[in-house]
Amino acid sequence: MSVDVADMFAGLGGFSEGARLAGCRVVWAANHWRAAVDMHALNHPETEHACQDLEQADWRTVPSHDVLLASPACQGHSPARGAEKPHHDAQRSTAWAVVSAVEYHQPVAFVAENVRQFATKWVLYRAWCEAMHALGYALAPMVLNAADSGVPQERKRLFVVGTRTKHPITLRLPQRDHVAASSFIDFDAGQWAPIKTRRRKPATLARVAAGRARFGERFVMPYYGSGSGLTGRCLSRPLGTVTTVDRWAVVNGDRMRMLSAAENRAAMGFSDSYRLPTTHKQAVHMLGNAVCPPQARDVINALLEAM
């Protein structure tokens, strides 16, 4: 059975790539950021693309589809944004564009992805769900860890699966073996620097020392931001969550470096051939915003099997 998929807030294309891996045809993908649309088009040239504010979209121009995929902006919900930045802003309203698209096209099913706080902190989440119920959809929200889909990263995200059924469906998701961070880190590549330099902050040196005491000479640690305590993570575990800015450093003896764009790509579960922006900063930004393709594949396959 041929399944046509549309991808809202498509970004770099993780959801679309997961749909492709699940055997679906991605007929349309859209994002408001031209750079992201261009990268998506490079990797999915067979897909029709639109660069537009999806809150202003004319859904009559969008091809019909069986399943709608959507990753509305998470910045207004994510605690990674920081307490000093406002959370009640226009970015939260992008989720209502999903309701608008579903109302017009009435796909057989939709899958919306976001951070967990979308359901637990957004005061309008219940209203958003009620809007979907009014359109005839039963909702099955679930928090899933990308590591359980074989992605070498601990990344917990909310997936809301909506179906035109009387009751919410149950997805039978595979429980895949966790993949270690060591699977993608290349110790013979990258721009290494000595750990002990005059510019290195005491807090960084303290994390390195604690990590070395616990894990030995090689491990990963959060260089910017927090997470994984004060000691980092051993290489036999999946990496911690990849974010939109450089976060993870690799320690190798008396030297260290940040993860490369290619290593971040592998940590997100994209193939080595998936094309990225040429600038490191933009590549990391798009990767940190993406859906992990293997996780998307597992969710979509389970959805299709349950329908």
Side-chain angles (χ1 to χ4, degrees), residues 13 39 42 69 77 96 104 108 114 132 140 153 163 171 195 230 240 243 246 256 262 278:
M39 288 310 306
L42 281 176
L69 307 175
H77 307 281
W96 293 105
Y104 183 87
V108 175
N114 214 294
M132 290 301 191
Q153 176 190 174
T163 51
L171 299 189
I195 291 174
L230 299 176
T243 59
D246 275 320
M256 67 191 305
T278 55

Side-chain angles (χ1 to χ4, degrees), residues 77-115:
H77 307 281
S78 174
R81 192 176 195 190
E84 75 283 358
K85 296 182 180 179
H87 285 245
H88 294 278
D89 57 20
Q91 288 180 317
R92 290 192 174 202
S93 68
T94 57
W96 293 105
V98 185
V99 176
S100 178
V102 167
E103 179 185 15
Y104 183 87
H105 281 282
Q106 298 185 7
V108 175
F110 71 84
V111 184
E113 179 268 355
N114 214 294
V115 294

Side-chain angles (χ1 to χ4, degrees), residues 17-125:
E17 186 67 1
R20 186 190 67 78
L21 292 172
C24 301
R25 187 166 69 107
V26 183
V27 297
W28 181 84
N31 196 272
H32 68 282
W33 186 19
R34 170 51 65 185
V37 173
D38 290 345
M39 288 310 306
H40 193 288
L42 281 176
N43 289 289
H44 295 271
E46 73 288 348
T47 297
E48 178 183 337
H49 289 85
C51 183
Q52 64 180 137
D53 177 359
L54 290 170
E55 293 180 90
Q56 305 297 323
D58 182 352
W59 301 113
R60 296 173 298 178
T61 66
V62 177
S64 61
H65 46 274
D66 305 299
V67 178
L68 176 69
L69 307 175
S71 296
C74 67
Q75 293 91 335
H77 307 281
S78 174
R81 192 176 195 190
E84 75 283 358
K85 296 182 180 179
H87 285 245
H88 294 278
D89 57 20
Q91 288 180 317
R92 290 192 174 202
S93 68
T94 57
W96 293 105
V98 185
V99 176
S100 178
V102 167
E103 179 185 15
Y104 183 87
H105 281 282
Q106 298 185 7
V108 175
F110 71 84
V111 184
E113 179 268 355
N114 214 294
V115 294
R116 290 171 286 174
Q117 290 77 14
F118 179 76
T120 60
K121 299 296 185 182
W122 189 32
V123 295
L124 293 179
Y125 173 70

Side-chain angles (χ1 to χ4, degrees), residues 16-291:
S16 293
E17 186 67 1
R20 186 190 67 78
L21 292 172
C24 301
R25 187 166 69 107
V26 183
V27 297
W28 181 84
N31 196 272
H32 68 282
W33 186 19
R34 170 51 65 185
V37 173
D38 290 345
M39 288 310 306
H40 193 288
L42 281 176
N43 289 289
H44 295 271
E46 73 288 348
T47 297
E48 178 183 337
H49 289 85
C51 183
Q52 64 180 137
D53 177 359
L54 290 170
E55 293 180 90
Q56 305 297 323
D58 182 352
W59 301 113
R60 296 173 298 178
T61 66
V62 177
S64 61
H65 46 274
D66 305 299
V67 178
L68 176 69
L69 307 175
S71 296
C74 67
Q75 293 91 335
H77 307 281
S78 174
R81 192 176 195 190
E84 75 283 358
K85 296 182 180 179
H87 285 245
H88 294 278
D89 57 20
Q91 288 180 317
R92 290 192 174 202
S93 68
T94 57
W96 293 105
V98 185
V99 176
S100 178
V102 167
E103 179 185 15
Y104 183 87
H105 281 282
Q106 298 185 7
V108 175
F110 71 84
V111 184
E113 179 268 355
N114 214 294
V115 294
R116 290 171 286 174
Q117 290 77 14
F118 179 76
T120 60
K121 299 296 185 182
W122 189 32
V123 295
L124 293 179
Y125 173 70
R126 183 174 296 180
W128 185 87
C129 291
E130 288 300 324
M132 290 301 191
H133 292 152
L135 294 175
Y137 289 85
L139 304 183
M142 58 198 78
V143 175
L144 304 175
N145 187 350
D148 294 335
S149 288
V151 177
Q153 176 190 174
E154 298 275 358
R155 187 184 189 89
K156 294 181 180 179
R157 290 293 184 266
L158 172 72
F159 287 80
V160 181
V161 178
T163 51
R164 298 182 68 82
T165 54
K166 185 175 181 180
H167 302 289
I169 63 172
T170 299
L171 299 189
R172 299 179 62 182
L173 292 162
Q175 186 76 21
R176 304 185 188 276
D177 292 338
H178 285 195
V179 178
S182 60
S183 65
F184 63 81
I185 294 176
D186 186 353
F187 286 95
D188 296 322
Q191 298 180 350
W192 296 91
I195 291 174
K196 293 184 178 180
T197 67
R198 288 183 298 175
R199 300 179 60 184
R200 201 77 71 189
K201 294 183 178 180
T204 301
L205 295 175
R207 286 199 296 273
V208 171
R212 185 178 285 125
R214 186 172 180 184
F215 304 121
E217 293 296 297
R218 288 182 168 182
F219 58 96
V220 291
M221 54 170 268
Y223 192 88
Y224 299 111
S226 60
S228 295
L230 299 176
T231 60
R233 300 168 75 92
C234 65
L235 294 173
S236 62
R237 294 178 60 191
L239 189 72
T241 302
V242 171
T243 59
T244 57
V245 295
D246 275 320
R247 181 186 182 194
W248 294 100
V250 187
V251 175
N252 182 21
D254 60 357
R255 60 181 188 160
M256 67 191 305
R257 65 170 173 82
M258 304 305 296
L259 289 183
S260 67
E263 288 168 331
N264 277 288
R265 174 177 59 194
M268 287 294 296
F270 285 90
S271 70
D272 293 345
S273 61
Y274 204 86
R275 299 176 69 176
L276 299 176
T278 55
T279 65
H280 176 84
K281 183 177 181 179
Q282 195 171 84
V284 171
H285 183 87
M286 290 189 191
L287 286 165
N289 265 336
V291 177

